[in-house]
Amino acid sequence: QLQLQESGPGLVKPSETLSLTCTVSGGSVRSSGYYWGWIRQPPGKGLEWTGSIYYSGSTYYNPSLKSRVTISVDTSKNQFSLKLNSVTAADTAVYYCARQFVVAYFDYWGQGTLVTVSS
Amino acid sequence: EIVMTQSPATLSVSPGEGATLSCRASQSVSSNLAWYQQKPGQAPRLLIYGASTRATGIPARFSGSGSGTEFTLTISSLQSEDFAVYYCQQYNNWPRTFGQGTKLEIK
């Protein structure tokens, strides 16, 4: 059974960089046809796709965040990561990692991790 | 960016009854639409993709329909575990976008 687990600091200071890692188990990030994405959800609000990556390194980013976001993949560790720089309170959210079928819909999700931006 | 609008924001229904949730796209997304269910404190769960195909393990009481700009998620004979928030998501255009959600609550 495929499982995804987010990890990283739960508190980030304004203007600093948010860094999260998603570890995939029960499957491989090198699976053909599957991208790996990050989706965030501010407290009490809806879902926002931030970006996705293929094991080859091909990426898609949400234009609303494109200048601040970087997603990378480490196939040797079966992980992919999110970096969001120059964060503000508006970046406070639960961040989910998920498997994305052919850059389309998300069929497996991690449990999510709350990241709070505060001094 | 394609804006997904869900209605109603909240739907109150009694267990055993049926529910119909709507999702409208600001421009055509063909059949490239998914539905998710999210319970408090949990990650979303994929219910429907391709507008009408149930994901693995999803009960037959969940059905999706529509194409273009108008979509519907129908839940027949609501069970207690179905009360949750439901989101639609389009994957026809970049960026991928979600609706704001419909909360299905017990009447």
Side-chain angles (χ1 to χ4, degrees):
Chain A
Q1 175 77 350
L2 187 72
Q3 292 186 318
L4 295 86
Q5 179 68 58
E6 305 88 351
S7 59
L11 181 63
V12 181
K13 290 182 168 55
S15 80
E16 296 190 345
T17 297
L18 179 159
S19 296
L20 295 174
T21 295
C22 183
T23 300
V24 178
S25 58
S28 173
V29 295
R30 298 179 61 90
S31 297
S32 179
Y34 289 99
Y35 273 66
W36 303 89
W38 290 95
I39 303 98
R40 68 180 187 176
Q41 184 172 37
K45 296 188 178 180
L47 301 162
E48 179 185 36
W49 169 73
T50 63
S52 301
I53 191 165
Y54 197 55
Y55 75 89
S56 63
S58 171
T59 53
Y60 293 89
Y61 294 129
N62 191 322
S64 68
L65 299 170
K66 190 172 184 178
S67 63
R68 299 194 292 131
V69 66
T70 302
I71 297 176
S72 58
V73 63
D74 187 336
T75 56
S76 67
K77 294 182 178 179
N78 221 28
Q79 295 176 333
F80 60 104
S81 299
L82 169 73
K83 290 188 185 298
L84 182 65
N85 58 37
S86 304
V87 297
T88 69
D91 295 309
T92 293
V94 174
Y95 285 77
Y96 295 100
C97 60
R99 189 178 79 168
Q100 188 177 20
F101 179 72
V102 195
V103 228
Y105 52 85
F106 301 94
D107 57 358
Y108 282 90
W109 295 65
Q111 65 185 25
T113 187
L114 174 63
V115 179
T116 301
V117 178
S118 175
S119 55
Chain B
E1 171 174 319
I2 294 180
V3 177
M4 307 301 292
T5 303
Q6 293 186 242
S7 62
T10 304
L11 184 61
S12 299
V13 184
S14 299
E17 295 185 342
T20 300
L21 288 66
S22 296
C23 175
R24 173 176 293 177
S26 59
Q27 64 188 77
S28 177
V29 298
S30 187
S31 294
N32 297 314
L33 184 108
W35 288 94
Y36 302 86
Q37 176 193 68
Q38 186 178 35
K39 297 179 180 179
Q42 297 185 16
R45 177 175 71 145
L46 177 67
L47 298 175
I48 301 283
Y49 61 90
S52 62
T53 302
R54 280 189 302 276
T56 302
I58 301 303
R61 65 180 181 273
F62 291 90
S63 63
S65 63
S67 65
T69 62
E70 301 283 344
F71 300 88
T72 299
L73 175 69
T74 301
I75 312 170
S76 63
S77 188
L78 281 160
Q79 308 295 303
S80 58
E81 62 266 30
D82 300 335
F83 292 94
V85 179
Y86 291 83
Y87 293 95
C88 59
Q89 178 230 329
Q90 66 82 21
Y91 49 91
N92 195 66
N93 287 63
W94 297 101
R96 304 322 193 200
T97 49
F98 293 85
Q100 82 281 15
T102 290
K103 181 179 181 180
L104 183 57
E105 64 177 25
I106 300 175
K107 185 173 182 180

